[in-house]
Amino acid sequence: MCERDKGEIKYKASSPDELALAKGASQCGIQLLSREHDRITIKNVVRNEEHTYKVIAEFPFDSVRKRMSVILRDDKKRYMILTKGADSVMLDRISYDKSGIEGMRELIEQDLYNYSCEGLRTLMIAQRSIGKEEFNTFFKFYTDLMQSDSPKKEQKLFALYDAMEHKLRYLGCTAIEDKLQDGVPLTIEKMIEADIRFFMLTGDKLETAVE
């Protein structure tokens, strides 16, 4: 969510990661101006251009999928899918041959490994364009499923999401400091004072795990 205070944009987010990414993009010259229910407005500061995208569908994140996607329509009525997620599920969904860079996957994996060794939490970001015919087919299935009361509705939606999240073009990866939540250090300290012994393992990678 964006708020304006004396001309300055202030962001609010449901997670520290989302807030960090929005602020980071703004510092690089790509400002999130507004996020409404089904519309996103972005400003390219360098080019002094504003673009509005209509959100057609959102594929939510969960611990099994380990990724989330949105399907957007830009102001030129072109469709695209943007996906972000853990490298364990994203690496096999990217078309490396289209990058024109030899050993592209190995380069990406090395970057991710280096970030993880520094204790940073990583996400991969990718996209692809969607042709009108493919979009129409997808949207019909998606609309029918969203209105369905079938007991297999969720299973079918996941299959549809999976079918769309393929042959993606790699955009980049993010690396964010994985800080403990407020109050956690004090809680650990009090447990030690109470002579409570425990082991704590966090993260989904060996490199970022803490014992």
Side-chain angles (χ1 to χ4, degrees), residues 62-113:
D62 64 42
S63 58
V64 176
R65 283 171 38 78
K66 295 183 180 180
R67 63 189 183 276
M68 72 166 294
S69 298
V70 290
I71 290 184
L72 306 174
R73 186 181 70 205
D74 66 13
D75 38 23
K76 295 183 179 179
K77 301 190 181 302
R78 297 174 298 190
Y79 296 96
M80 70 186 76
I81 180 170
L82 286 166
T83 304
K84 69 173 182 178
D87 54 275
S88 58
V89 296
M90 291 291 289
L91 282 167
D92 290 334
R93 296 177 179 274
I94 292 172
S95 293
Y96 300 97
D97 57 338
K98 295 181 179 180
S99 69
I101 302 175
E102 185 177 352
M104 179 72 166
R105 176 164 180 155
E106 289 73 18
L107 291 172
I108 294 170
E109 289 178 327
Q110 185 61 51
D111 284 341
L112 292 167
Y113 175 76

Side-chain angles (χ1 to χ4, degrees), residues 120-139:
L120 303 177
R121 184 167 59 245
T122 57
L123 282 175
M124 294 181 65
I125 303 173
Q127 74 165 57
R128 74 176 177 89
S129 298
I130 301 174
K132 190 172 182 179
E133 183 177 346
E134 181 188 4
F135 172 78
N136 289 338
T137 301
F138 155 78
F139 194 65

Side-chain angles (χ1 to χ4, degrees):
M1 184 172 68
C2 307
E3 292 183 351
R4 292 183 181 272
D5 183 11
K6 297 179 181 179
E8 180 183 352
I9 298 175
K10 292 190 175 183
Y11 297 115
K12 292 184 179 180
S14 58
S15 75
D17 284 14
E18 291 181 357
L19 185 60
L21 292 173
K23 286 184 175 180
S26 181
Q27 291 173 1
C28 293
I30 305 297
Q31 291 184 338
L32 172 62
L33 296 183
S34 68
R35 174 63 167 101
E36 301 172 13
H37 171 64
D38 64 346
R39 293 192 181 279
I40 302 171
T41 301
I42 305 291
K43 181 177 181 179
N44 185 321
V45 176
V46 176
R47 297 182 179 179
N48 195 28
E49 296 176 350
E50 291 187 14
H51 299 279
T52 298
Y53 299 86
K54 180 175 175 58
V55 180
I56 305 297
E58 294 187 18
F59 305 166
F61 175 91
D62 64 42
S63 58
V64 176
R65 283 171 38 78
K66 295 183 180 180
R67 63 189 183 276
M68 72 166 294
S69 298
V70 290
I71 290 184
L72 306 174
R73 186 181 70 205
D74 66 13
D75 38 23
K76 295 183 179 179
K77 301 190 181 302
R78 297 174 298 190
Y79 296 96
M80 70 186 76
I81 180 170
L82 286 166
T83 304
K84 69 173 182 178
D87 54 275
S88 58
V89 296
M90 291 291 289
L91 282 167
D92 290 334
R93 296 177 179 274
I94 292 172
S95 293
Y96 300 97
D97 57 338
K98 295 181 179 180
S99 69
I101 302 175
E102 185 177 352
M104 179 72 166
R105 176 164 180 155
E106 289 73 18
L107 291 172
I108 294 170
E109 289 178 327
Q110 185 61 51
D111 284 341
L112 292 167
Y113 175 76
N114 292 340
Y115 292 143
S116 298
C117 288
E118 294 179 22
L120 303 177
R121 184 167 59 245
T122 57
L123 282 175
M124 294 181 65
I125 303 173
Q127 74 165 57
R128 74 176 177 89
S129 298
I130 301 174
K132 190 172 182 179
E133 183 177 346
E134 181 188 4
F135 172 78
N136 289 338
T137 301
F138 155 78
F139 194 65
K140 182 181 185 308
F141 278 110
Y142 178 75
T143 304
D144 290 344
L145 282 172
M146 293 299 288
Q147 297 174 349
S148 169
D149 56 2
S150 167
K152 294 185 177 181
K153 175 180 177 178
E154 186 171 315
Q155 180 182 343
K156 291 179 179 179
L157 276 172
F158 281 9
L160 181 59
Y161 299 162
D162 188 70
M164 296 298 294
E165 296 164 329
H166 72 285
K167 295 182 179 179
L168 301 170
R169 180 169 66 88
Y170 177 69
L171 295 179
C173 63
T174 63
I176 298 176
E177 185 178 358
D178 197 3
K179 290 185 176 180
L180 293 175
Q181 295 180 5
D182 293 341
V184 172
L186 180 60
T187 301
I188 294 174
E189 181 183 339
K190 294 300 181 184
M191 292 177 73
I192 293 174
E193 289 178 0
D195 201 27
I196 298 174
R197 296 291 178 258
F198 63 92
F199 290 91
M200 180 173 65
L201 190 67
T202 64
D204 58 358
K205 288 184 180 180
L206 180 62
E207 294 82 14
T208 55
V210 178
E211 181 181 315

